[in-house]
Amino acid sequence: MSAGRIHRGRPRLAAALGVAAIVAMAGAGGAAAQETVPAPAEAAERLDAAAGWRDLLEAHRSPLRPRPGDTESLILVLDAPPAGSVPAARRAQALADIEEQQGAVERVLADLGAVVTHRTAVVANTMSVALPAGGTEALARVAGVQAVVPVGFLAPAQADPGPPPGAEPGSAATPAPVGRPSGRAVRVAVLDAGIDPSHPALGGGMGPTFPILGGLDLVDGDADPRIPSDAVLTEAHGTQVVGVLLGSPAISDLAPAERPRVIVHRVVATEPVGGRLRPLARTDRVLMALERSVDPDGDGDPGDAADIVLIALSAGFTGAGRDPLNDAIDVADGLGVSVVAAAGNDGPTLTLPGSVGGPAAAPAALTVGALASRPSGGLVDLTVSLGAAAARLDDLPLVGGPVADGDLPAVLLDGPAGLLTGADDAEFRDEAGESRVSGAAVVVARGGENLHVLAHRAAAAGARALLVWDRDAGTFAISGGDGDLPIPVVGVGPGQGEGLAGLVRSRADLRLSLSGAGETRAAGPAVAAFSSTGPTAAGLQKPEILAPGIAVEAPLPGRGADGLARTGTLTGTSASAARAAALVARLRTERPGLGPAAVRSLIVQGAAPLPGVPVVAQGAGALGPPAGARVAVEPAVVHARPVGDGAARRIDMTVRNLTDRPLDFRVALRAADGAERTLRLGGRLPAGGARAVGAVVPRGARGTLVVRETRGGTVLGQAPLVPVRIAASVSAALGRPEVRRAGDRAEVIVRVGRLARVEDRVVGRVLSDLRVVLMPADGEAPVPVLGTRQPGAWPAGTYRVLVSARGSDGADVAPGRYRVRVRATAADGTVLRRTSGVVAIG
C-alpha cells in the first residue's frame, strides 16, 4: 500500500434515539458499557479510500420514534393474513374477513378513545391508530391484534446537507418528451417528499401526457403530491429523487410512449425532533403509501399495481423484531411489484450486524448502496521538505486548480481549541484583520463545509493551496462542480494529517510542493464512506448492488431570484436507489414477462465487482447493464445457512429458464481464486420453467454459484454465495432492571441493547420482543404484566417502562413482594433475562 493512500476511519454514528409505545428514554446518557472487539487485521485495507473522499455533512441516523405526548401512535398488526398473500381465487373472501375483523377492532378502539388514521388490507392487515397516552396496555385484550408496533421515522437517505438557500439556477437533465403511455410504459411509485412537477427536469407538469401522472399527499390527506410552498428548501428530496430517476441514462433512449411514468406519494413532512425541524416520514404513512402503490383505487384488487416502488428513505439500524413495512414489501413482491430501497447512510461498522435497517433490510427489496467515483479532479503528490530532507505522499485526491508552482510555506489554521475548519472568513485572519495564509498552503480540519465555498474563502485570504485533513475520510467529491475553484484542494488522510500537523507546528521552515496533477492516474470507484453495509440483523447480505451516489446532478424545487429553475446535486444512497430504479424500469419495459425476483437476479448478474472490497459493503458490485443471462437465480444473492452442528451449510435456490428452449444445467462453486468445483445440483429446465435445487456445502463455502449447461459448460447465469451471518448475543446487552414506585404503577428503568464505540469501531447489539413479568418473592408462578410485551426491535438505549399493577388478564395484581423480570430476544434467537431487586406492590 503506498504511503499516500488515505486510510478512512469509520463514520461517526449518532446515538440512536427512541421511544416505544409504552416506554420513554430514561436519558441520553444511558450508555451501553464498552465492549472489546479485536479489530481485524485487514480493517485498514478494507477501509482504504484513495479512490474517494467525502464532501458532505456527517451522515446521521434518523430519529426512530416520534416524541411522546398526549397521544401515542401505533400500528396494529391483525392476525388475519393480508389479501395480497393469498391466491387470487381467495382474495375476495380474505378482503371480507379483514373488513369484518378491522370493524370489530375499531369498535373496541373507539371505546378507548383511539382514532384510526390509516388502514391497509392488501399488502398488510394493519390499522394505524392514535390513542391517548397510557392506553396502550388495553390493546393486549383486543381480540385479533397480533402485534403492536410503535410508529417510527424514516429519513430521506440523503447524506449531504441539502440544497443551499442560494442555489444557482441550472439545467438538470431534462427528460425526453413523452406522449400518452403505451402498454409497455411501466409505472414507478415514488414514496418520498412532495415534488415540484413544474420543474423542467420533471417534465414541466403533471397528468397523462407528462412523466408525472399524479399521486397522493398522505401528509395533508389529499390527491396533490406537490411540495408545499413553505417547504421548498426543507423538503426538496422528492423533487431531487424523481429528477435523478427521470434523468437517468438507463431510460433516456426509450420511445416517448414507453418511457416510465411516475406516481408520487408524499409521505415526508417537517417534524420537530431534537429541538429542530427535520424532514421525516412516519412509518404508518409509508405503509399506507405502499398499499396505495399496490392498490391505487383502493378496491382490494392489485391488478392496477405500480410495476416498481422506489423508497429512497431509510432508518438507522434497528435490528431484529417485527417490521410490518418489511412484511408488506415481501407481499408486494409476491404480487409482481419490484421494490427498490436505499441502503441508508450509516456507513460501515465492521461488526455483526451491519448498519442496514428499515425498508432496505426487507429480503424482497433490491437494496442499493452508494458508489463513489470522482467525476473530476485527479491525484497529486505532496512533497514535504525540511532543508535537504524531503518525504513524499503519493496519490492524494485533488480537485480544483491550477496546481501552484514551486515550494510553498505551510500554515496550520490553529485556534484555541485545536485545528480550525475554515468555516468563517475570520479564521483566515489575525486580530488586526491581516491574512494568516497569504501565499501559503493552508491546512484545515474537515468539518462538513462545502469544499467549493471553503476554497473560495481560502483564496480570498491569499492562500495558494488548501489541504484538508480528514480524520474520518470518506469520498472526495465536490458539490456544485469544481470548474471555477481558484486553488487546488487536496485531501489528506487521518494518519498523514496528524504527521503533517506535527511537523508544521514544530518546524517553521517546512515547505510543501504539489506535483503530478497533469498525469492521468485515474482512481477507481469505491464504496462511499457513508453507505450502509451488511449483513442485516437476520444475517442476510444487503446491499445487493452499488450505484453512483456522490454529487449526482439533481433538480431543486422552486425558482431562483431570476425566475429560472434551480438545480444542484444529491449525495446519498437515495440518489443510488433512483439510478437503480431507472435500470429496473428499463428491464421491465424491455422484458415485461419478468417478475421481481428474476429482475433482481439479472440486475445482480450485471453488476461489476470492485476488487478488494468485502461483499458486505458492495454486494455484487457496481450497477451495470442487465446481464444477458439465460437463467435467473432466485434469490439473486444465495445464502448458506448453518445446519446440524454448524460444520456444514445448506444452500437453496431456484433456477428459472428465461429462454424458449429446454436447458440442462449443472451448478459449480467458483472460489475467489477462480477455481471451480461442481456441486451436486442440476437438472432439466423446460422452456420458461423453473426448478428448485438445494445442497449441503462445507462451512467455509463462499464465492460465486455458476450455472452452466451440462454439455459444453456454457455459462447460463450466476449468483453470489455468502454465509448467513448473525451477531452472537452478549449477556451485557440487557441491563439489570431498577424499579421505582409511582402510585399504583411502577417504573422499570432498564438498559436495552448496546451501541458503543470501541476505538474506531462501532459495536451494536439490538434486542427485540421485550417482555416484563412480575416474579412473586415467595416463588409463586410469574404474573405477566398487562401491555408490556413489545414484539418490535428496541434501539439501543436506557428505557423507562411503565408497569401497571394489573395482570395480562386485566385483573389486579395481588398485593405482595415481587421482583421484576425483563426478558428480550437477541438477533441470534438467544433469550436474555434480568431480574430486579424486591419491590412491594399494593
Side-chain angles (χ1 to χ4, degrees):
M1 185 183 302
S2 66
R5 304 192 76 182
I6 296 177
H7 303 294
R8 167 165 67 81
R10 291 72 173 167
R12 293 176 295 275
L13 298 181
L17 303 176
V19 187
I22 57 168
V23 301
M25 280 294 250
Q34 296 293 303
E35 176 181 5
T36 302
V37 179
E42 69 275 23
E45 184 68 38
R46 288 184 179 181
L47 294 180
D48 181 68
W53 199 56
R54 177 168 52 204
D55 180 35
L56 45 91
L57 288 177
E58 180 63 47
H60 52 73
R61 291 171 177 255
S62 65
L64 298 176
R65 300 281 187 268
R67 293 184 62 184
D70 295 335
T71 61
E72 300 180 41
S73 298
L74 305 167
I75 299 173
L76 307 185
V77 182
L78 307 187
D79 55 17
S85 67
V86 304
R90 294 170 45 201
R91 200 162 289 151
Q93 183 59 51
L95 286 167
D97 293 342
I98 291 170
E99 182 178 5
E100 180 179 357
Q101 184 182 44
Q102 291 190 359
V105 170
E106 186 169 12
R107 288 189 289 273
V108 177
L109 294 175
D111 293 338
L112 299 174
V115 176
V116 177
T117 56
H118 303 290
R119 64 179 77 230
T120 63
V122 177
V123 296
N125 180 8
T126 66
M127 302 173 71
S128 301
V129 301
L131 78 164
T136 307
E137 56 187 35
L139 295 177
R141 290 175 288 174
V142 179
V145 174
Q146 185 182 82
V148 180
V149 180
V151 168
F153 281 133
L154 304 180
Q158 178 177 5
D160 56 13
E168 294 294 324
S171 56
T174 300
V178 298
R180 289 192 175 274
S182 71
R184 293 184 63 189
V186 302
R187 289 174 299 158
V188 184
V190 178
L191 281 47
D192 214 290
I195 57 165
D196 177 8
S198 69
H199 197 292
L202 271 64
M206 190 165 60
T209 58
F210 291 96
I212 311 296
L213 291 176
L216 297 173
D217 185 336
L218 293 168
V219 178
D220 294 336
D222 57 43
D224 186 356
R226 290 180 177 87
I227 187 171
S229 59
D230 60 353
V232 168
L233 293 180
T234 58
E235 297 176 29
H237 190 256
T239 300
Q240 293 179 292
V241 166
V242 174
V244 172
L245 169 68
L246 292 175
S248 172
I251 58 176
S252 61
D253 62 342
L254 289 176
E258 296 179 351
R259 288 181 57 79
R261 298 311 203 269
V262 176
I263 302 162
V264 178
H265 295 324
R266 180 184 175 228
V267 294
V268 173
T270 304
E271 303 277 357
V273 174
R276 64 189 180 99
L277 297 177
R278 291 185 54 186
L280 297 167
R282 291 166 53 107
T283 51
D284 52 353
R285 290 176 183 153
V286 177
L287 183 60
M288 185 64 195
L290 181 60
E291 173 89 353
R292 295 306 299 268
S293 300
V294 174
D295 179 22
D297 58 9
D299 66 353
D301 181 1
D304 53 353
D307 302 280
I308 301 163
V309 172
L310 170 58
I311 308 178
L313 309 168
S314 64
F317 175 78
T318 54
R322 185 70 177 270
D323 188 334
L325 180 56
N326 286 11
D327 294 344
I329 288 173
D330 290 343
V331 173
D333 179 84
L335 293 171
V337 180
S338 294
V339 178
V340 181
N345 304 322
D346 280 340
T349 63
L350 291 187
T351 62
L352 297 179
S355 52
V356 173
L366 176 65
T367 303
V368 191
L371 181 70
S373 57
R374 284 200 302 278
S376 56
L379 302 176
V380 69
D381 299 335
L382 173 66
T383 300
V384 182
S385 301
L386 288 168
R392 192 173 76 179
L393 302 177
D394 297 329
D395 295 348
L396 299 180
L398 164 77
V399 292
V403 173
D405 293 328
D407 292 344
L408 300 174
V411 174
L412 208 64
L413 207 64
D414 266 332
L419 192 63
L420 302 174
T421 63
D424 191 289
D425 292 335
E427 295 181 4
F428 292 90
R429 302 185 181 277
D430 59 23
E431 293 181 356
E434 298 296 325
S435 174
R436 302 168 55 187
V437 299
S438 182
V442 58
V443 182
V444 301
R446 187 77 176 102
E449 179 71 86
N450 184 293
L451 295 184
H452 190 278
V453 175
L454 188 60
H456 279 273
R457 188 176 293 143
R464 296 183 62 194
L466 180 66
L467 279 66
V468 184
W469 171 16
D470 196 344
R471 298 178 178 89
D472 184 25
T475 300
F476 193 53
I478 190 160
S479 300
D482 60 4
D484 61 344
L485 285 184
I487 57 176
V489 180
V490 179
V492 183
Q496 299 158 346
E498 185 174 1
L500 180 62
L503 286 172
V504 175
R505 288 189 177 105
S506 62
R507 298 295 297 266
D509 56 340
L510 182 141
R511 311 286 292 184
L512 303 178
S513 64
L514 303 174
S515 61
E519 300 178 21
T520 302
R521 291 179 290 170
V527 181
F530 54 79
S531 187
S532 291
T533 64
T536 68
L540 305 182
Q541 171 54 36
K542 295 285 182 173
E544 285 93 353
I545 55 167
L546 305 172
I550 299 291
V552 176
E553 187 179 61
L556 294 173
R559 296 291 185 269
D562 54 6
L564 297 178
R566 304 187 309 148
T567 191
T569 58
L570 177 62
T571 292
T573 56
S574 56
S576 309
R579 283 285 186 89
L583 191 59
V584 171
R586 176 65 180 248
L587 188 54
R588 294 204 62 161
T589 300
E590 294 179 339
R591 306 183 69 172
L594 294 180
V599 167
R600 283 195 301 277
S601 177
L602 294 188
I603 293 287
V604 167
Q605 291 189 58
L610 305 184
V613 177
V615 68
V616 293
Q618 67 166 326
L623 186 69
R630 285 183 277 176
V631 301
V633 180
E634 304 168 4
V637 176
V638 179
H639 289 88
R641 300 179 180 275
V643 294
D645 60 0
R649 296 289 186 268
R650 172 83 187 181
I651 59 174
D652 292 283
M653 63 186 193
T654 297
V655 182
R656 187 173 302 279
N657 187 353
L658 303 180
T659 74
D660 57 2
R661 67 178 182 86
L663 295 172
D664 292 306
F665 75 97
R666 59 181 174 85
V667 180
L669 177 60
R670 180 193 298 152
D673 60 4
E676 284 191 13
R677 67 184 184 89
T678 300
L679 304 177
R680 304 182 72 174
L681 292 172
R684 184 170 180 82
L685 290 171
R691 184 183 182 96
V693 294
V696 175
V697 296
R699 178 177 181 174
R702 66 186 67 201
T704 303
L705 294 169
V706 182
V707 182
R708 296 184 179 275
E709 278 195 291
T710 302
R711 293 185 179 180
T714 301
V715 175
L716 302 172
Q718 60 185 27
L721 174 66
V722 297
V724 171
R725 290 160 294 197
I726 298 178
S729 64
V730 290
S731 59
L734 184 62
R736 186 172 186 262
E738 173 190 350
V739 182
R740 301 171 185 169
R741 288 297 307 276
D744 64 346
R745 294 171 178 260
E747 285 186 350
V748 179
I749 309 299
V750 60
R751 178 177 50 77
V752 179
R754 299 169 67 85
L755 183 64
R757 177 169 290 280
V758 179
E759 297 177 348
D760 57 354
R761 304 177 70 214
V762 172
V763 177
R765 295 290 188 273
V766 179
L767 305 180
S768 64
D769 197 20
L770 189 73
R771 307 185 195 188
V772 178
V773 298
L774 295 177
M775 308 291 296
D778 59 7
E780 292 293 323
V783 180
V785 180
L786 184 64
T788 53
R789 177 180 177 182
Q790 289 292 316
W794 288 61
T798 299
Y799 291 88
R800 177 174 59 91
V801 183
L802 301 180
V803 179
S804 170
R806 284 186 292 163
S808 58
D809 59 359
D812 291 341
V813 173
R817 293 167 59 81
Y818 294 85
R819 298 179 188 273
V820 175
R821 171 170 290 177
V822 179
R823 56 166 287 181
T825 304
D828 64 354
T830 301
V831 176
L832 303 178
R833 297 178 177 86
R834 294 291 180 272
T835 304
S836 74
V838 175
V839 59
I841 293 182

